[in-house]
Amino acid sequence: MSGVVVHLPCGADGGEPVTLRLGPGEVARFGRGSPRTPVELRLDDDAVSRLAGEIRVTDDHWQLTNHSTSHSYLVENPEGAGEYLRVQPRRVGAPIPFEFSRVVLPTRGRSPVAFQVFAPDHVYLDPDSMGVSSGSRTVMAYSLDETATYFLVLVAMCEPRLRDQSRVGVPTTPQIAERLDGHTASGTLTARAISSHIDYLAEQKLRMGPPDSHAPGKGDRRNGKREEIVGLALRFGLVREEHLALLPPPAR
């Protein structure tokens, strides 16, 4: 399994975003933290406990432990129809079924504290081996959820080539944001959110290697990453013409 990606859009004290990558068996603790209570994910709010909880990764899902004695935490599915789980105080190892989750902690301010979790690859049965009890199970090489926002971003990246505009380059992040404006369940996608989905596709879902270290600059490396993602998705048929129906009608 590819593990879990935890993303805090804004670090403590308004600092840089924080991204953690955890493999099976690894644990990340979150909370306000202190010198005596270190945490991997620091949440800067006085209503959050020093050690608020922890994330534990298994082979095919992740678990949330709530260390608070008084506050419940919410785990929302931003790409669903309002689904959420409530993790009660002192609950240990609550399994989270969503592929993309938003963990929300209550605060005394107008806005809660929240961070995002991208789950491990989901495992699917091999239809050719149904009813066969011998041997090990077969997993899908590329486990993609066609209802997820990251897949919509992938379709938008592949759209020009699927429409036989082979001379057109892979869309840039601003172009993808404009193409999907208002078309996702979570509303408008920011450029930073789209970049996170692209990184998630490359590193977790498609398990591509690191960007070319000889590329002149960050922009060139990101362009190369998008080209590799589109090339792999089209070669293996992960995105096909029928998937264009997921996008809004193209502008005239």
Side-chain angles (χ1 to χ4, degrees):
M1 295 300 125
S2 59
V4 154
V5 175
V6 183
H7 179 69
L8 180 64
C10 183
D13 300 320
E16 291 295 318
V18 178
T19 300
L20 305 176
R21 291 173 173 82
L22 308 174
E26 294 186 320
V27 176
R29 302 191 299 176
F30 59 89
R32 195 151 40 101
S34 71
R36 298 182 61 181
T37 310
V39 293
E40 288 73 28
L41 200 66
R42 184 181 167 198
L43 307 176
D44 190 26
D45 190 279
D46 290 340
V48 176
S49 304
R50 298 285 184 186
L51 178 58
E54 67 179 38
I55 293 168
R56 181 178 298 274
V57 183
T58 70
D59 282 341
D60 55 6
H61 69 283
W62 62 279
Q63 300 171 347
L64 180 66
T65 294
N66 182 354
H67 286 300
S68 173
T69 59
S70 55
H71 293 152
S72 293
Y73 302 155
L74 295 183
V75 183
E76 301 174 341
N77 178 10
E79 299 175 338
E83 297 97 339
Y84 69 90
L85 296 176
R86 182 183 296 110
V87 181
Q88 303 289 345
R90 303 184 304 280
R91 172 68 194 272
V92 177
I96 309 301
F98 308 135
E99 187 170 13
F100 175 41
S101 305
R102 181 172 180 260
V103 180
V104 184
L105 280 68
T107 68
R108 297 187 65 179
R110 292 181 178 270
S111 301
V113 172
F115 57 89
Q116 302 162 348
V117 182
F118 294 86
D121 287 341
H122 289 185
V123 177
Y124 295 87
L125 292 173
D126 180 4
D128 295 330
S129 63
M130 297 292 286
V132 179
S133 58
S134 62
S136 60
R137 66 183 179 183
T138 302
V139 299
M140 296 185 68
Y142 302 112
S143 174
L144 300 178
D145 181 357
E146 296 184 4
T147 66
T149 300
Y150 69 75
F151 189 79
L152 198 63
V153 171
L154 178 59
V155 176
M157 292 169 64
C158 297
E159 181 183 22
R161 296 188 183 177
L162 286 172
R163 296 193 187 280
D164 200 24
Q165 298 173 335
S166 55
R167 295 185 180 181
V168 179
V170 176
T172 64
T173 298
Q175 289 172 334
I176 296 172
E178 182 180 1
R179 184 73 178 93
L180 300 179
D181 185 28
H183 192 64
T184 62
S186 55
T188 301
L189 282 175
T190 64
R192 178 175 291 176
I194 289 174
S195 295
S196 296
H197 284 296
I198 292 173
D199 290 341
Y200 180 61
L201 280 164
E203 298 168 13
Q204 302 298 318
K205 285 300 181 181
L206 305 180
R207 298 181 298 283
M208 295 164 50
D212 185 0
S213 59
H214 299 291
K218 181 177 180 181
D220 293 328
R221 293 197 298 271
R222 185 164 291 281
N223 288 338
K225 179 186 290 186
R226 289 200 301 265
E227 291 279 354
E228 287 188 58
I229 290 173
V230 170
L232 188 149
L234 295 180
R235 283 198 305 273
F236 284 98
L238 306 178
V239 178
R240 302 176 296 278
E241 287 187 19
E242 57 262 33
H243 291 130
L244 293 175
L246 298 173
L247 300 174
R252 292 184 178 274

